[in-house]
Amino acid sequence: MIGVSIVSYYKSLIMVLLALLLCVSLAAASPATAAAGRAEEVHLVPAVYVFGDSTVDVGNNQYLPGNSALQLPYGIDFPHSRPTGRFSNGYNVADFVAKLLGFKRSPPAYLSLTPRTSRQILRGLRGVNYASGGSGILDTTGNTITLTKQIEYFAATKSKMVANSGSGSSSSSSVDELLSKSLFLISDGGNDMFAFLQRNGTASEVPSLYADLLSNYTRHVRALHGLGARRFGIVDVPPLGCVPSVRATSPDGGASRCVDAANALAKGFNDALRAALANLTASGALPGARYSVGSSYSVVSHFTAHPAAAGFREVASACCGGGRLNAQTGCTPNATYCSDRGEYLFWDGVHGTQATSKKGAVAIFSAPPQMGFAAPINFKQLVSS
């Protein structure tokens, strides 16, 4: 009993520390100096370039031909209660990472850019979000903007930045200097896992899946490095067996526990990804590069196991949707949704609430690495180096 009490105390202490980090980090997220009576932003990096899936998409998908834009209640807690293309009731992880870096808002969706909104970007400031909901590490996953295409879009952005900065090698060098100080945020892999689960992939196929994913992931990282990226903030795959849509498929309804097999699939990949990144940097394949793997797996696992300490009341059901665990039908304009959204871990059958994204971003950004939310360093250490 004494041992159990000590463990419980330690776990509660972790969540208390996270709560304190949340307050301190967000208070320091927008450091300001008085200038002519007006607050001025101070950024930890010149820009943030975002790649990945719906966990960080800020609206690219709604510009794709044939795509119908998300409608309310998506975006209900965004300023002025409006849908923005985010798969959330408000802000997502990319937004809160940007805020923690000192920006007022997340960098804009690439497909939304106009000549007027590109002026700062072409100077190497603020950054761009290329992420696309539904995409995966593999080009065959989803039917949206592949990770390969997202990197091609970034290459086009860099070319315009170089052209904008003048002619000659000095202009290219100045752009590379800015890019080397910027953060390249990648959050992807969940959709590849979902696709494997949905087609009932067998255990014997898992090693091949991991090999394909790691081969493609390292290819993408190498491509970005070749384009000037040096600081990589990687967000791993969450415990997929804990999301409502997967829980709802389990024989007991999933109300009491996560689906172990789906979690094991995600964890196995995450472990392999960390090893691959360590080998890639140790081998000298990425000169000058540094990275941090923010563990959404550890974050969501802790929130699920200790909801009260994390400030959540409901960690199994989605806030918006219908059917078992509110996850068997989508979060549509006619769907029911909870009023206490800050107490829910999940917004819809797959995505976290704004509250989850906020707390998760703080954990991977500021929590000491020994707490297990980021490795080998946290995001703040990554951008401060």
Side-chain angles (χ1 to χ4, degrees), residues 270-297:
N270 291 339
D271 292 343
L273 175 62
R274 282 193 294 273
L277 289 170
N279 291 336
L280 200 60
T281 52
S283 69
L286 303 174
R290 288 168 62 85
Y291 73 93
S292 171
V293 178
S295 183
S296 65
Y297 190 99

Side-chain angles (χ1 to χ4, degrees), residues 83 113 117 171 218 311 373:
L113 294 175
T117 58
S171 62
T218 54
F373 299 118

